[in-house]
Amino acid sequence: KAYYAGEEITASPDGTTAGYHFHPGTISTGIADPVQGEDSFFTSPPTYSRTAYAAVLLSADQSVEERPDKFRAICHCLEVADYNTSGVETDPGSYSANPARVEADVLDRAGLSSLIHWPTWVTWRDYCDATITWGARSIPRFECHLALTQPVDIPTALSFITQTACTFWQFDGVNIRFLATFDATLVQPGNQVYTFTEANCRNVIAGAGDRRGLPTGYIARFRDLDDDYMSEVTVEYYSEELETLVGAANRIEIQLPPMYRSQAERICYWRLQLDGWSNIEVELTAFGGSSKVLAGDLIAVEHEVLDFTNDSTTRYLICTETEDLPEESGPSLRRIRGKIIYGGQLYWDGAHTAPPA
């Protein structure tokens, strides 16, 4: 759909009728390409190969204003492939806002699709595609309408996309794996990928950051998919309990890509669980089977240093960093860092308010 000053305008059938032409960004075969060739509104324009754009011819009344900023368009731009658990292409390209399919497209364009661990990718794709209830409606759990307007490296692009779906990605030296944070998954015994004890780790250090510097909530800015004009809106999501504990509000502004308000609120909940409630960081030196632990994994640490409240020596952490130590430090030693997780659920489908009427 396209609009000028809030009034919908239609596609133009030729080079003289007011309206718009949309070019989806395919690889141009030349100026005569019917999809990505020269636009008939102009004289000898470039084809903008692999660049999606709209060309607009306004009516006489509209053009006299000289206000191109009044033009708005909501477009399907990118066709992305789909795959099965073996990495075999099952769809050469169709419109999709599924974060997993967007992620695979980025890796494919970079020549890195062979690194994808397809079973975890398919699990993540299907989890994003599943619908959840929002008021009287059903919406996809996660969508990704991210547009990168500046060059970024591949790890940064992967992180941008996975964070729109409350997901971690990790590279194990062979494959890129995806760790979706499933709805209502509790931080409890049995869900960790590894347990560190005094028998397989040492030098355990725990330190609490100043809570006054931690977020108690977020002010998320994004373009609302429920708005026909994709206007930018603001959602303020915070924890009164956390603000009482801290003694003050510290609500951090964040910018999100276009999405439903439900998704923005659920992302804020996930980030608050990770960055607001989790103010104690743990570092340890590990050996034994610790090579399987990667950033993004849930781990358990059993150590007397972590018995802060005289109730348990076992704490559950999200691993944030791993580092292989030099051989002179000892054979097969690794430094593991992570944040203690509080609050039970890292992610919750119901962490949103009622949709607009």
Side-chain angles (χ1 to χ4, degrees):
K1 293 184 177 181
Y3 304 87
Y4 182 82
E7 179 182 348
E8 186 170 355
I9 58 177
T10 59
S12 171
D14 51 42
T16 59
T17 304
Y20 70 88
H21 296 156
F22 177 65
H23 302 271
T26 56
I27 299 175
S28 178
T29 59
I31 60 175
D33 187 326
V35 176
Q36 200 74 18
E38 287 185 342
D39 190 276
S40 58
F41 286 157
F42 306 98
T43 302
S44 301
T47 62
Y48 296 107
S49 181
R50 298 198 73 169
T51 299
Y53 75 98
V56 185
L57 179 63
L58 298 176
S59 67
D61 291 342
Q62 293 168 337
S63 61
V64 75
E65 292 187 301
E66 297 186 357
R67 289 292 303 276
D69 58 303
K70 288 188 176 183
F71 175 75
R72 295 286 188 272
I74 304 173
C75 313
H76 283 146
C77 293
L78 185 64
E79 291 188 346
V80 291
D82 202 1
Y83 307 86
N84 63 18
T85 54
S86 299
V88 176
E89 188 179 88
T90 58
D91 178 353
S94 57
Y95 293 118
S96 174
N98 184 291
R101 291 179 65 179
V102 174
E103 191 89 293
D105 184 74
V106 168
L107 289 168
D108 182 60
R109 288 168 182 261
L112 300 173
S113 59
S114 62
L115 299 180
I116 295 174
H117 184 262
W118 293 107
T120 60
W121 180 88
V122 167
T123 298
W124 179 38
R125 179 202 64 193
D126 293 347
Y127 184 63
C128 292
D129 261 346
T131 57
I132 65 171
T133 300
W134 186 33
R137 306 165 53 184
S138 292
I139 59 174
R141 178 176 278 115
F142 294 115
E143 293 186 334
C144 181
H145 299 276
L146 178 70
L148 298 173
T149 58
Q150 299 292 331
V152 297
D153 58 25
I154 294 299
T156 300
L158 298 187
S159 296
F160 280 160
I161 296 167
T162 53
Q163 286 171 14
T164 66
C166 301
T167 294
F168 298 100
W169 70 274
Q170 55 183 212
F171 180 58
D172 63 8
V174 178
N175 293 125
I176 297 173
R177 297 171 180 265
F178 302 95
L179 307 178
T181 309
F182 294 111
D183 175 40
T185 297
L186 299 178
V187 179
Q188 61 184 9
N191 289 337
Q192 71 271 21
V193 301
Y194 197 75
T195 300
F196 292 100
T197 68
E198 295 186 40
N200 60 15
C201 73
R202 65 191 187 205
N203 302 332
V204 179
I205 303 171
D210 187 345
R211 273 204 178 273
R212 293 171 296 181
L214 298 178
T216 61
Y218 294 96
I219 302 170
R221 299 184 185 279
F222 58 97
R223 295 192 180 277
D224 187 358
L225 295 183
D226 274 323
D227 186 327
D228 284 342
Y229 312 121
M230 295 280 282
S231 302
E232 188 173 66
V233 298
T234 298
V235 162
E236 195 161 0
Y237 189 96
Y238 59 93
S239 167
E240 291 183 355
E241 181 183 358
L242 189 54
E243 291 186 349
T244 299
L245 288 172
V246 173
N250 184 28
R251 301 172 190 174
I252 307 299
E253 289 195 16
I254 58 174
Q255 187 73 43
L256 298 175
M259 60 182 59
Y260 293 112
R261 180 161 57 80
S262 165
Q263 184 172 341
E265 290 179 337
R266 287 179 281 122
I267 290 173
C268 289
Y269 173 92
W270 178 69
R271 291 183 62 157
L272 197 59
Q273 292 298 105
L274 290 172
D275 299 329
W277 286 101
S278 305
N279 74 313
I280 298 180
E281 297 187 351
V282 176
E283 179 182 305
L284 56 87
T285 302
F287 46 93
S290 66
S291 60
K292 67 178 68 175
V293 176
L294 298 169
D297 284 335
L298 177 67
I299 58 177
V301 181
E302 299 175 2
H303 199 281
E304 62 181 8
V305 169
L306 304 182
D307 187 11
F308 312 121
T309 53
N310 298 318
D311 62 347
S312 176
T313 60
T314 302
R315 302 293 175 184
Y316 295 91
L317 292 74
I318 287 291
C319 178
T320 56
E321 184 181 354
T322 64
E323 178 188 1
D324 292 324
L325 297 177
E327 284 297 319
E328 55 264 27
S329 301
S332 302
L333 293 181
R334 304 182 79 213
R335 179 175 290 114
I336 308 289
R337 296 186 179 94
K339 287 184 174 182
I340 294 179
I341 299 300
Y342 294 98
Q345 297 176 184
L346 282 181
Y347 168 79
W348 179 36
D349 276 343
H352 51 205
T353 54

